Amino acid sequence: MSLNDLEKRLSGFRRIGLATLPTPLLPLKRLTSTLGGPRIWVKREDCTGIGMGGNKLRKLDFVLREALAEGADTLVSGGVVQSNSQRQVAAAAAKLGLACHLAVYHGRVPVKTVDYESSGNVLLNKLFGACLHDVPWTGDRNAAICDLAESLRGKGHRPYIVPYGVSSAMGAVGYASAAAELCGQLGAVEGTLNAVVHCSGSGATQAGLVIGAAACLPDTDIVGIDIDAEPDRVRADVVGYARGGAELLDMDFDDSRVEVVAGHAGPAYGVPHEATLEAIRMAGHLEALTVDPVYSGKGLAGLISLVRAGRWKASDNVVFVHTGGEPALFAYRQALGL
Ligand SMILES: *Cc1c(COP(=O)(O)O)cnc(C)c1O
């Protein structure tokens, strides 16, 4: 299969136009020389536009066509207090003129500062007009979201459920478009692209990259860094969404291409450790690149660790997908010692 063929299949799923695309592909020269190679590039999926951007907008662009087709008047989703996903759902709802109700899970992340509870994504959710419903974290990612939608339906609303992390087979189709887009930008890169590295959580980002890369980047490893401290669960979810996404695109799927790297999540989801903080500081000092303590900072920490372990040669090319999350930097001010 070729890029052309993938693009043709993707064009059967017209996006609604929430994200500003293509996102830039840029060299990180000072990080590259500090680490002594490989050549590191960044794909700025944090720069997708509305609501301070991030990787969920690309998924929502495909997933929300169904909400509009159904005549939904309300988006319902959820996530932890500082969830980037629910902030992007809130942004999409504002842009589309829909109401937004969010189940906010308390207790998954053991951080209790005033900044965590009120700054960053929390402030933005409110600014975008979302209605926040506090619920306890039970380990079931979607139960409280479904309950909330049910109670809104009972009150006469027409809710559309956006799953936790906007991860679904259609979300994976959305992310296959990022692989196609990256493939079209490789004129800037000398030689082959050896790997794409990014952090993986609810799974559809990696699922989409894997099915897209199978079509147009056959020599490129897709390396997901587990940031949930649940690498087996992450891999199983990636495989499931990739299989579903490949089916929608009428493509074959080979799960041997799904690589989820453990050991960089720190003690728990949402808790940064020293390697995360080092990655955040390096990105800031060397590249004025802002990565966050929950997702992109852990993903970059994983990349730095793989580079130091000698996975790539100095002449290799590696793309770090910056999936967003910057608002959480402000929520984690104390952890950063700033
Ligand atoms: C959600 C998120 C991810 C993980 O993407 P998944 O598709 O859930 O695996 C990575 N980075 C940031 C900043 C996110 O918000």
Side-chain angles (χ1 to χ4, degrees), residues 66-74 98 158:
E66 185 179 60
L68 299 182
E70 284 177 4
D73 61 9
T74 304
L98 304 173
R158 291 191 306 270

Side-chain angles (χ1 to χ4, degrees), residues 107-121:
R108 183 177 183 200
V109 177
V111 180
K112 293 225 152 42
T113 61
V114 171
D115 294 282
Y116 185 82
E117 298 286 342
S118 61
S119 174
N121 288 304

